[in-house]
Amino acid sequence: MAKKSYSFYPGCSSQKAASSSNYQVSVDTMCKELDIELNEIPDWNCCSASIGYAGGGELPRLALSARNMALSEEAHPGQDIVATCAACWLSTKETQERLHNDSDLLAETNTALAEAGLKLKNDKKVRHMVEVLIEDLGYEELGKHVKKPLEGLKIAGYVGCQTNRPFGIAGESFENPKYLDKLIETVGAEACDNYEKKVSCCGGALAFSEPEKSQALIKDIIESAYDNGADMLVTPCPVCQMNTEVYQDQINAKYGTKFKLPVVYYSTLLSVAYGKSAKEAALDGQIIRAKQLEDIASK
Amino acid sequence: MSDYNQNMIEKYRGSFLKEVEANVEEGDWVKMCMQCGVCSGSCPLGPHWEHPPQEIFMMIRANKREEVLESSSMWMCTSCYNCIARCPRGLPITHIMHGLATYAKRLGLQPKEQPTAKFAQLFWDNLSKTGRVNELKLGLSLYFMNGFSEGVKTSLKMKDIGLGMMKTKRMSPMEFFGGHKCKDTKGFQAMLKKAQELEEARIGKSGS
């Protein structure tokens, strides 16, 4: 396949020494293998995720994503915007939709953008990396690159919320999207077909402000994966990954459980199956080591 | 009580629905609710809401202004979008809840010790300074948001998670000294300031 080029919005958590820097490492590895070129939007800013609303009103929040889109239009004309973070993707897509439907808001947004010397046309497609994989490349192409099928692994595809609702992936249902299961099968592993917590919420940003309430949700997500015989979780979202991985010890202390379930990104899974090293697949970014993937990577 | 709150009470005396329609993000959708309750039943933190979304919509129509705006309810929204995906009337419920939270905060009516209200403000302050979130500073400001002694306690409780993040290079103490930011911080801040001015002019808050 010919090289595909995109205007890339990495987001705050993907930066060096930030909480999903391991996601970025594995995405880079995966994209190199698949001949996907990611051109970083110059000087991008935070999208304020879904939690900026206490301090920022509607227009300031819209201006954040509008600035990123305007910078992308300027630097990478003709290229779709692609985000790897669920919240980045959602905020940008929501901004695009709202400004598309409300010309007064678009005019005000452009007045604000002018202060930074920018102007928004708002005519780009905003897409998640998963859409690039399954729509622009397709499962067949993704499968062709597999050098080490992940045979014998059983994996629960934890889709979570924001890559699934309200926009989701075209052709998938909100209640039982299948794309992550299909990706798991594409790399030769077995997907947990009946994983009940596939689209349940991990608490999102409220894991910080309401830890007990959120950890109760996370407990159910992990427990259900174990009930379904999963060796690990795989997810497309940085907040899902972090929440379901880092609090397992605290949950164990509170509920008397013995959780130690690795949680990896789809890009780590693909990188390992594509024969890349543990480092290239960012397995050294796992707080709960994914031992089975390390073994496959070192074979 | 803030002047802004007083002005709004006088302006919309007797019609909280009209007040919400005019001042709350996506507020003009509220009247479309048909009280089926699917939103409340779909919310992951449903049991923790003082008044679940369905009830909030009815309370708005019933003029329960203070009960709604002073409630901790809207601050329970995790932004999972279940309610939006399932609402048979297509109400953008997540956005309405965020909008009500924003409005309550603007009026100074949000519960004073509401942890998500505090955290969301910290998040905004953090990102609007440099254009990008500094996760280390955000985490520390969160731990210490209820004072020093509680901050030390929380930090100790979170120590192992912090160490795990540092060991895997997903957090760095160096972020404390500067860290990631936009190059055009000046333009970024000027843009936000202008956006804020335009919005305040629209909602009649300027000068208050």
mmCIF file of all heavy atoms in Angstrom, chain A residues 138-156:
data_model
loop_
_atom_site.group_PDB
_atom_site.id
_atom_site.type_symbol
_atom_site.label_atom_id
_atom_site.label_comp_id
_atom_site.label_asym_id
_atom_site.label_seq_id
_atom_site.Cartn_x
_atom_site.Cartn_y
_atom_site.Cartn_z
ATOM 1 N N GLY A 138 -7.703 -1.485 6.710
ATOM 2 C CA GLY A 138 -8.566 -2.667 6.734
ATOM 3 C C GLY A 138 -7.903 -3.838 7.449
ATOM 4 O O GLY A 138 -6.679 -3.942 7.502
ATOM 5 N N TYR A 139 -8.749 -4.725 7.990
ATOM 6 C CA TYR A 139 -8.244 -5.855 8.794
ATOM 7 C C TYR A 139 -7.298 -6.746 7.976
ATOM 8 O O TYR A 139 -6.314 -7.262 8.503
ATOM 9 C CB TYR A 139 -9.400 -6.690 9.347
ATOM 10 C CG TYR A 139 -10.309 -5.917 10.276
ATOM 11 C CD1 TYR A 139 -11.574 -5.487 9.872
ATOM 12 C CD2 TYR A 139 -9.897 -5.609 11.572
ATOM 13 C CE1 TYR A 139 -12.395 -4.770 10.725
ATOM 14 C CE2 TYR A 139 -10.716 -4.886 12.438
ATOM 15 C CZ TYR A 139 -11.972 -4.473 12.005
ATOM 16 O OH TYR A 139 -12.781 -3.755 12.841
ATOM 17 N N GLU A 140 -7.617 -6.912 6.693
ATOM 18 C CA GLU A 140 -6.802 -7.801 5.875
ATOM 19 C C GLU A 140 -5.368 -7.291 5.771
ATOM 20 O O GLU A 140 -4.402 -8.024 6.002
ATOM 21 C CB GLU A 140 -7.441 -7.925 4.489
ATOM 22 C CG GLU A 140 -7.038 -9.197 3.770
ATOM 23 C CD GLU A 140 -7.502 -9.167 2.317
ATOM 24 O OE1 GLU A 140 -8.641 -8.748 2.057
ATOM 25 O OE2 GLU A 140 -6.693 -9.556 1.458
ATOM 26 N N GLU A 141 -5.248 -6.006 5.471
ATOM 27 C CA GLU A 141 -3.922 -5.393 5.376
ATOM 28 C C GLU A 141 -3.206 -5.457 6.733
ATOM 29 O O GLU A 141 -2.017 -5.771 6.800
ATOM 30 C CB GLU A 141 -4.071 -3.940 4.899
ATOM 31 C CG GLU A 141 -2.809 -3.099 4.934
ATOM 32 C CD GLU A 141 -1.730 -3.558 3.947
ATOM 33 O OE1 GLU A 141 -2.076 -4.267 2.977
ATOM 34 O OE2 GLU A 141 -0.543 -3.220 4.170
ATOM 35 N N LEU A 142 -3.947 -5.168 7.805
ATOM 36 C CA LEU A 142 -3.339 -5.205 9.146
ATOM 37 C C LEU A 142 -2.816 -6.609 9.454
ATOM 38 O O LEU A 142 -1.778 -6.777 10.083
ATOM 39 C CB LEU A 142 -4.357 -4.781 10.219
ATOM 40 C CG LEU A 142 -4.874 -3.343 10.143
ATOM 41 C CD1 LEU A 142 -5.979 -3.115 11.176
ATOM 42 C CD2 LEU A 142 -3.746 -2.336 10.368
ATOM 43 N N GLY A 143 -3.551 -7.618 8.987
ATOM 44 C CA GLY A 143 -3.165 -9.006 9.234
ATOM 45 C C GLY A 143 -1.926 -9.435 8.448
ATOM 46 O O GLY A 143 -1.163 -10.282 8.901
ATOM 47 N N LYS A 144 -1.742 -8.818 7.282
ATOM 48 C CA LYS A 144 -0.618 -9.204 6.423
ATOM 49 C C LYS A 144 0.742 -8.965 7.084
ATOM 50 O O LYS A 144 1.738 -9.580 6.717
ATOM 51 C CB LYS A 144 -0.664 -8.396 5.122
ATOM 52 C CG LYS A 144 -1.610 -8.961 4.094
ATOM 53 C CD LYS A 144 -1.458 -8.165 2.794
ATOM 54 C CE LYS A 144 -2.655 -8.432 1.887
ATOM 55 N NZ LYS A 144 -2.849 -7.331 0.934
ATOM 56 N N HIS A 145 0.785 -8.016 8.026
ATOM 57 C CA HIS A 145 2.070 -7.662 8.635
ATOM 58 C C HIS A 145 2.419 -8.532 9.844
ATOM 59 O O HIS A 145 3.483 -8.367 10.429
ATOM 60 C CB HIS A 145 2.046 -6.186 9.056
ATOM 61 C CG HIS A 145 1.943 -5.236 7.897
ATOM 62 N ND1 HIS A 145 3.036 -4.570 7.388
ATOM 63 C CD2 HIS A 145 0.877 -4.871 7.129
ATOM 64 C CE1 HIS A 145 2.633 -3.806 6.368
ATOM 65 N NE2 HIS A 145 1.332 -3.984 6.190
ATOM 66 N N VAL A 146 1.489 -9.410 10.229
ATOM 67 C CA VAL A 146 1.728 -10.217 11.436
ATOM 68 C C VAL A 146 2.844 -11.224 11.191
ATOM 69 O O VAL A 146 2.776 -12.026 10.260
ATOM 70 C CB VAL A 146 0.432 -10.951 11.875
ATOM 71 C CG1 VAL A 146 0.719 -11.901 13.039
ATOM 72 C CG2 VAL A 146 -0.643 -9.944 12.258
ATOM 73 N N LYS A 147 3.888 -11.139 12.027
ATOM 74 C CA LYS A 147 4.991 -12.097 11.937
ATOM 75 C C LYS A 147 4.957 -13.085 13.090
ATOM 76 O O LYS A 147 5.417 -14.207 12.970
ATOM 77 C CB LYS A 147 6.330 -11.348 11.939
ATOM 78 C CG LYS A 147 6.507 -10.479 10.709
ATOM 79 C CD LYS A 147 7.913 -9.898 10.610
ATOM 80 C CE LYS A 147 8.006 -8.953 9.423
ATOM 81 N NZ LYS A 147 7.266 -7.672 9.680
ATOM 82 N N LYS A 148 4.446 -12.638 14.231
ATOM 83 C CA LYS A 148 4.351 -13.521 15.399
ATOM 84 C C LYS A 148 2.908 -13.510 15.909
ATOM 85 O O LYS A 148 2.565 -12.678 16.748
ATOM 86 C CB LYS A 148 5.267 -13.007 16.522
ATOM 87 C CG LYS A 148 6.750 -13.075 16.218
ATOM 88 C CD LYS A 148 7.495 -12.490 17.423
ATOM 89 C CE LYS A 148 8.997 -12.514 17.228
ATOM 90 N NZ LYS A 148 9.664 -11.719 18.287
ATOM 91 N N PRO A 149 2.088 -14.419 15.381
ATOM 92 C CA PRO A 149 0.692 -14.436 15.855
ATOM 93 C C PRO A 149 0.642 -14.654 17.370
ATOM 94 O O PRO A 149 1.442 -15.422 17.897
ATOM 95 C CB PRO A 149 0.089 -15.638 15.127
ATOM 96 C CG PRO A 149 1.045 -15.996 14.045
ATOM 97 C CD PRO A 149 2.391 -15.488 14.429
ATOM 98 N N LEU A 150 -0.265 -13.938 18.027
ATOM 99 C CA LEU A 150 -0.330 -14.017 19.498
ATOM 100 C C LEU A 150 -1.168 -15.219 19.927
ATOM 101 O O LEU A 150 -2.151 -15.079 20.646
ATOM 102 C CB LEU A 150 -0.890 -12.717 20.062
ATOM 103 C CG LEU A 150 -0.227 -11.420 19.565
ATOM 104 C CD1 LEU A 150 -0.853 -10.196 20.227
ATOM 105 C CD2 LEU A 150 1.275 -11.432 19.829
ATOM 106 N N GLU A 151 -0.763 -16.387 19.446
ATOM 107 C CA GLU A 151 -1.547 -17.601 19.704
ATOM 108 C C GLU A 151 -1.565 -17.963 21.184
ATOM 109 O O GLU A 151 -0.563 -17.821 21.875
ATOM 110 C CB GLU A 151 -0.975 -18.763 18.891
ATOM 111 C CG GLU A 151 -1.516 -18.774 17.479
ATOM 112 C CD GLU A 151 -0.626 -19.538 16.516
ATOM 113 O OE1 GLU A 151 0.351 -20.158 16.973
ATOM 114 O OE2 GLU A 151 -0.908 -19.488 15.312
ATOM 115 N N GLY A 152 -2.738 -18.427 21.622
ATOM 116 C CA GLY A 152 -2.854 -18.884 23.003
ATOM 117 C C GLY A 152 -3.213 -17.779 23.981
ATOM 118 O O GLY A 152 -3.493 -18.044 25.136
ATOM 119 N N LEU A 153 -3.205 -16.519 23.511
ATOM 120 C CA LEU A 153 -3.571 -15.420 24.413
ATOM 121 C C LEU A 153 -5.064 -15.144 24.326
ATOM 122 O O LEU A 153 -5.645 -15.116 23.236
ATOM 123 C CB LEU A 153 -2.823 -14.143 24.037
ATOM 124 C CG LEU A 153 -1.354 -14.032 24.435
ATOM 125 C CD1 LEU A 153 -0.847 -12.629 24.140
ATOM 126 C CD2 LEU A 153 -1.194 -14.341 25.912
ATOM 127 N N LYS A 154 -5.675 -14.934 25.482
ATOM 128 C CA LYS A 154 -7.080 -14.548 25.497
ATOM 129 C C LYS A 154 -7.174 -13.110 26.013
ATOM 130 O O LYS A 154 -6.652 -12.807 27.089
ATOM 131 C CB LYS A 154 -7.866 -15.510 26.393
ATOM 132 C CG LYS A 154 -9.342 -15.412 26.160
ATOM 133 C CD LYS A 154 -10.115 -16.608 26.683
ATOM 134 C CE LYS A 154 -11.593 -16.356 26.418
ATOM 135 N NZ LYS A 154 -12.449 -17.307 27.095
ATOM 136 N N ILE A 155 -7.799 -12.267 25.235
ATOM 137 C CA ILE A 155 -7.751 -10.837 25.537
ATOM 138 C C ILE A 155 -9.157 -10.231 25.570
ATOM 139 O O ILE A 155 -9.980 -10.478 24.686
ATOM 140 C CB ILE A 155 -6.890 -10.088 24.493
ATOM 141 C CG1 ILE A 155 -5.484 -10.722 24.437
ATOM 142 C CG2 ILE A 155 -6.793 -8.604 24.815
ATOM 143 C CD1 ILE A 155 -4.576 -10.156 23.372
ATOM 144 N N ALA A 156 -9.406 -9.440 26.610
ATOM 145 C CA ALA A 156 -10.685 -8.719 26.696
ATOM 146 C C ALA A 156 -10.510 -7.352 26.057
ATOM 147 O O ALA A 156 -9.637 -6.569 26.456
ATOM 148 C CB ALA A 156 -11.117 -8.579 28.147
#
